[in-house]
Amino acid sequence: MKRTTLLLATALLLTGSNLLSAKVNPDSPSSVPVLLGLEPVRQDLKISSLQVALLDAIRSEYKAKVSVIAAIGLNDAKAAPKAAADIKALRHKYNQRALNVLNSTQQQRLRQIERQMLGGAILTSATEQKLLGITPEQAKKLSEIHAVDVAKAAEINAKFNTGKISAFRRDIDLHRNLRTTSRSMLHVLTPEQTKQWLGLTGPKLKL
């Protein structure tokens, strides 16, 4: 049950947008402030009480702003493209702020956890693509898969917003969509890239 709940939360990390080095990489497809609010992640990273306070404030501010922008996009189809772009920019900004709260060791470990939780879906990250030496042809394939993923997620959310499915059904469908996207993206990698990527996932997150 714990694992299922965490996996559902992982799928929801992507709905708003949709490290070998110690550098901060805010280009993750996930919402880092939300990810850092999950208790198993906090325990694994050994987040201090001061960090908890800072991250809680960042997450609350981020979610409030995303909610306002998302509502605008839902209420006006013409405003939807701009709302999506604004949310993406907001996610980048708040990912950076959340990562700045962590020390370099925590940043590196968080990236490993992201790989475990998002699977191949993290390959939309330019940082991840550069790390694996993704070719232009592979990048094009990943972009095409991502476009299908975004369209499917939007369809699922639209069904929920119009009352056609429950919140639980939405979460399940989003998780299934995430798994499908993850598998498709990993299939784009060469055997050597796959081996390299698996070696970067680190110790398994304890649930």
Side-chain angles (χ1 to χ4, degrees):
M1 179 61 73
K2 247 186 178 183
R3 180 172 181 77
T4 300
T5 301
L6 192 57
L7 288 174
L8 291 177
T10 303
L12 290 174
L13 291 175
L14 300 170
T15 62
S17 60
N18 206 263
L19 293 133
L20 283 181
S21 68
K23 290 171 62 179
V24 174
N25 295 310
D27 71 332
S28 168
S30 69
S31 299
V32 173
V34 179
L35 178 59
L36 287 171
L38 301 178
E39 192 55 37
V41 176
R42 289 185 166 188
Q43 290 180 4
D44 187 288
L45 296 179
K46 296 179 175 58
I47 299 296
S48 70
S49 56
L50 175 58
Q51 287 177 314
V52 165
L54 292 172
L55 291 171
D56 282 349
I58 292 171
R59 186 176 73 259
S60 295
E61 186 178 323
Y62 169 74
K63 291 174 72 174
K65 290 187 177 182
V66 166
S67 295
V68 172
I69 297 173
I72 294 173
L74 288 172
N75 293 327
D76 184 353
K78 292 182 179 180
K82 184 179 185 306
D86 287 346
I87 288 177
K88 183 177 181 180
L90 197 68
R91 186 181 72 242
H92 188 281
K93 175 183 176 180
Y94 278 83
N95 279 1
Q96 182 77 69
R97 286 184 57 185
L99 287 167
N100 285 342
V101 174
L102 307 181
N103 61 43
S104 60
T105 299
Q106 290 171 323
Q107 290 170 17
Q108 291 179 48
R109 175 56 181 157
L110 179 64
R111 193 64 167 184
Q112 292 178 338
I113 291 172
E114 283 187 288
R115 293 186 181 106
Q116 293 178 33
M117 296 180 72
L118 300 181
I122 200 174
L123 293 174
T124 57
S125 161
T127 302
E128 203 75 358
Q129 291 187 16
K130 184 177 180 180
L131 181 63
L132 296 173
I134 295 297
T135 66
E137 183 180 353
Q138 287 177 309
K140 181 181 177 183
K141 289 181 180 178
L142 290 171
S143 180
E144 291 170 350
I145 295 170
H146 177 57
V148 173
D149 169 67
V150 170
K152 183 62 179 178
E155 180 184 324
I156 293 169
N157 282 315
K159 287 181 179 179
F160 168 71
N161 292 327
T162 55
K164 293 181 179 179
I165 58 175
S166 66
F168 180 73
R169 180 76 254 173
R170 175 201 61 183
D171 296 353
I172 292 294
D173 289 348
L174 285 172
H175 173 53
R176 286 176 176 169
N177 185 51
L178 173 63
R179 287 192 304 176
T180 299
T181 298
S182 175
R183 287 195 297 267
S184 297
M185 287 191 168
L186 287 176
H187 284 158
V188 173
L189 302 181
T190 66
E192 292 76 15
Q193 288 171 328
T194 300
K195 183 178 180 181
Q196 179 187 0
W197 187 82
L198 290 173
L200 295 171
T201 58
K204 199 159 188 177
L205 176 70
K206 294 181 181 179
L207 305 181

